[in-house]
Amino acid sequence: MTTAVHFGAGNIGRGFVAQFLHASGYEVVFADVSDELIGALQAQSSYRVLEVGEGAQDRVVDNYRAINSKTHEAEVIAEIAAADIVTTAVGARILQFVAPVIARGLAARTRPEPLVVIACENALGGTDILAAEVRKHGSADNAVFANCAIDRIVPEQAGGLDVTIESFFEWVVDRTPFPGPTPDLYGVTWVDDLGPFIERKLFTVNAAHAAAAYHGIDRGWVSIREALATPELQAEVRAVLAETKALLVAKHGFDPDEQQAYIEKTLKRISNPHLPDTCERVGRNPLRKLSRHERFIGPAAELAERGMTMWNLLNAVGAALRFDVEEDAESVELYALLEGGASAPALVETVTGVGPAHPLFPHLVEVFELRLAH
């Protein structure tokens, strides 16, 4: 029996990554620090993944085990030492805490085959981030680290282990780190150049979702679907996507018609009435979403470097700066920064990572000055 150790038993972990590992024939070993999630997985022998959208199917995931990595770390290390593959879906900021356990598992490994490690995070170069953290704690010569891009919308859930998820998915993995054949993973598209696929997803799906959320909550809308149903707001989101499309076509050579079809598919997905996502949930973590290489600042910076238009991306940044949700830690932190008395130029550097020498900098200063004036 082939084994996969998966860090992160949340909705993406259970409903996407673990379900695909299960479909690939792996016994999945969940590792998580949540007593509630691990307890629930240990108490149930299976859970369901409920798809909604075109071609939707209900799927059952069984043949798994679950270990609390906070209280039973030694067991997780032993599982990694014997595993075929390790995956994560914990959030990019948590990878540094997962890394020491993976390093100890690699150190305990006696199998001649290298351990395959794929970080399934919504971040550029997520596996590279994990690999760098692992190497801080020991050698990783007996592992193959492969970056990937994942795309599947998971709305807020009612509770329990069953996961409601959209039927559409994309899991693209870099094949170049593998010295030999790639693992037989269900649903994976293997590519030699992952960069264009990561940026297409980040600058289209994530940019559209976030723009709809920030503009939507700015106007008092609750759900993404309701917000996008208004012509004015949909026009703002389409304007953002027209700018990112121009960059993707110029930079990566995507066919304009194919990229437009990808945009239309994206707008249909995030408007899915069966996935009632809220503007508040999608807009959470604004500091990450406003960082240098993320969905707004990343493409806006490259457009500015090319002398191309990025005004609608800047408009979305302005809406993000007005995102004020007390239940979201990053929203509270962003509000504190904006109200802390710092100048607009200083805030631009702190929040976006764009420096004074960059052509985007003066335009961002204008956006931040407008926010500070209100």
Side-chain angles (χ1 to χ4, degrees), residues 36-319:
E36 181 181 0
L37 276 174
I38 294 299
L41 285 165
Q42 290 174 342
Q44 291 185 207
S45 60
S46 67
Y47 63 86
R48 295 181 301 160
V49 177
L50 311 172
E51 295 181 349
V52 292
E54 296 177 10
Q57 298 182 50
D58 291 352
R59 305 174 189 273
V60 175
V61 178
D62 54 15
N63 189 37
Y64 61 77
R65 291 178 286 123
I67 302 173
N68 190 316
S69 53
K70 178 175 59 179
T71 59
H72 293 74
E73 183 179 289
E75 292 182 26
V76 179
I77 292 169
E79 292 291 347
I80 293 170
D84 298 273
I85 185 170
V86 167
T87 55
T88 74
V90 295
R93 293 188 175 188
I94 306 300
L95 291 174
Q96 60 182 312
F97 304 111
V98 170
V101 183
I102 295 176
R104 294 186 190 108
L106 288 171
R109 196 171 176 84
T110 58
R111 293 185 57 178
E113 303 89 357
L115 178 69
V116 176
V117 181
I118 305 175
C120 304
E121 308 295 345
N122 195 13
L124 289 169
T127 308
D128 286 342
I129 296 170
L130 177 58
E133 293 293 332
V134 169
R135 292 187 176 106
K136 291 178 182 178
H137 301 277
S139 172
D141 292 342
N142 55 346
V144 175
F145 293 90
N147 282 308
C148 79
I150 61 168
D151 185 8
R152 204 172 195 187
I153 297 172
V154 184
E156 289 185 283
Q157 305 287 311
L161 290 182
D162 292 350
V163 181
T164 298
I165 197 166
E166 70 167 332
S167 55
F168 176 90
F169 68 86
E170 190 172 58
W171 189 4
V172 185
V173 184
D174 183 6
R175 72 157 59 92
T176 59
F178 293 89
T182 55
D184 185 11
L185 290 173
Y186 168 83
V188 164
T189 299
W190 298 94
V191 298
D192 293 318
D193 185 4
L194 188 62
F197 293 91
I198 291 177
E199 291 198 342
R200 183 182 69 167
K201 188 256 180 175
L202 185 64
F203 298 167
T204 308
V205 181
N206 296 116
H209 224 181
Y214 293 131
H215 284 309
I217 206 166
D218 217 20
R219 289 170 168 77
W221 293 108
V222 174
S223 77
I224 295 291
R225 182 176 60 84
E226 291 173 329
L228 282 171
T230 61
E232 180 186 3
L233 191 141
Q234 184 172 139
E236 288 180 316
V237 175
R238 284 185 175 275
V240 167
L241 297 181
E243 291 176 349
T244 61
K245 172 186 174 180
L247 175 63
L248 291 166
V249 169
K251 182 179 180 180
H252 296 302
F254 284 118
D255 179 86
D257 291 338
E258 289 182 6
Q259 179 58 21
Q260 189 59 44
Y262 187 75
I263 287 172
E264 300 303 328
K265 179 70 172 179
T266 295
L267 292 172
K268 183 178 180 180
R269 289 172 58 204
I270 65 177
S271 302
N272 189 334
H274 300 290
L275 295 170
D277 238 337
T278 65
C279 295
E280 180 179 312
R281 190 199 75 83
V282 175
R284 289 175 187 170
N285 303 314
L287 284 173
R288 176 173 64 84
K289 290 167 181 166
L290 289 171
S291 60
R292 177 63 179 83
H293 300 288
E294 262 284 346
R295 61 206 70 190
F296 295 152
I297 303 301
E302 292 197 52
L303 286 164
E305 291 165 6
R306 292 168 178 263
M308 299 169 70
T309 300
M310 54 358 200
W311 307 120
N312 295 289
L313 281 160
L314 290 172
N315 189 32
V317 170

Side-chain angles (χ1 to χ4, degrees), residues 8-49:
N11 296 324
I12 284 287
R14 299 194 315 280
F16 187 178
V17 184
Q19 189 251 305
F20 278 34
L21 292 169
H22 174 266
S24 304
Y26 289 92
E27 177 192 29
V28 177
V29 179
F30 287 100
D32 203 294
V33 297
S34 169
D35 296 334
E36 181 181 0
L37 276 174
I38 294 299
L41 285 165
Q42 290 174 342
Q44 291 185 207
S45 60
S46 67
Y47 63 86
R48 295 181 301 160
V49 177

